[in-house]
Amino acid sequence: SPFSHGFWRRKFGIELSNKMWLMAFRSSQETSLRVLQWKLLHNIYPSNILLNKMKVTENQNCPYCPDEVEFIEHFFFYCPVVQAFWKEVEKFIFNQLDIRVHLTVQSVIFGVAVTQSAEINQILLIGKMCVSIHRKTKSCLSIFSIFEKQIQLRKI
């Protein structure tokens, strides 16, 4: 089994299930979204901690939170800039699907298993892609503005 099984077990006390591995494939046809999820599950997404270990960046900290190490969960969830975005996504899911979800670090990283989970997980995948675009391009647009454009492109 992949090394990441032990990593996520130690980090969150969970076992990666087949459903978690297949979530991106069941929720989206887009290769870029599937690859993003694959990198997250394998804990090889290029956040600053990994880039610093590879000598690509000078430090391992979050550019928005200088005292915080940029682990995957900080990059995609705990950073205050990103947390505000996920609150907006919760509202978007409620307005579009009439489903109330409370997004946690685990549901953002691994997906959800609820009614209409394929639709919600596709939205989460797009959201993670938008976080990545915003953080890596240092966009002046808000993450939610990027998200709205991506949703419009996909006609969701």
Side-chain angles (χ1 to χ4, degrees):
S1 65
F3 174 77
S4 60
H5 275 262
F7 174 82
W8 294 117
R9 185 181 319 111
R10 287 186 304 279
K11 182 75 80 169
F12 293 123
I14 64 164
E15 295 292 329
L16 293 180
S17 66
N18 283 341
K19 281 186 177 184
M20 289 176 180
W21 285 104
L22 294 173
M23 180 275 291
F25 291 92
R26 292 183 174 153
S27 303
S28 178
Q29 297 296 314
E30 293 181 59
T31 302
S32 61
L33 297 178
R34 290 175 171 185
V35 168
L36 172 63
Q37 186 64 21
W38 185 86
K39 288 179 180 181
L40 288 174
L41 291 178
H42 279 282
N43 189 35
I44 59 170
Y45 183 83
S47 60
N48 277 348
I49 191 165
L50 181 60
L51 294 173
N52 182 255
K53 288 178 184 178
M54 297 165 56
K55 309 285 188 225
V56 175
T57 60
E58 291 187 22
N59 72 52
Q60 60 188 7
N61 294 346
C62 172
Y64 303 107
C65 313
D67 296 332
E68 294 290 330
V69 175
E70 191 178 72
F71 294 106
I72 284 177
E73 60 271 19
H74 182 82
F75 185 101
F76 283 102
F77 188 77
Y78 288 122
C79 181
V81 173
V82 178
Q83 283 214 324
F85 164 69
W86 290 118
K87 292 296 178 198
E88 292 296 320
V89 172
E90 287 175 356
K91 291 176 194 173
F92 177 84
I93 291 169
F94 179 71
N95 291 335
Q96 293 298 310
L97 302 175
D98 199 30
I99 298 173
R100 284 207 191 277
V101 293
H102 173 68
L103 298 176
T104 65
V105 64
Q106 290 181 17
S107 61
V108 167
I109 292 176
F110 304 114
V112 297
V114 296
T115 304
Q116 293 180 291
S117 62
E119 293 93 342
I120 295 171
N121 285 328
Q122 182 182 26
I123 291 167
L124 295 178
L125 286 168
I126 294 166
K128 288 182 272 192
M129 178 192 66
C130 294
V131 169
S132 180
I133 290 169
H134 181 266
R135 300 286 297 265
K136 294 300 180 183
T137 63
K138 297 175 176 78
S139 174
C140 60
L141 294 173
S142 72
I143 303 171
F144 197 72
S145 295
I146 297 168
F147 177 78
E148 287 177 318
K149 288 182 181 185
Q150 294 297 321
I151 291 292
Q152 286 175 348
L153 285 171
R154 291 166 177 80
K155 297 180 171 99
I156 294 178

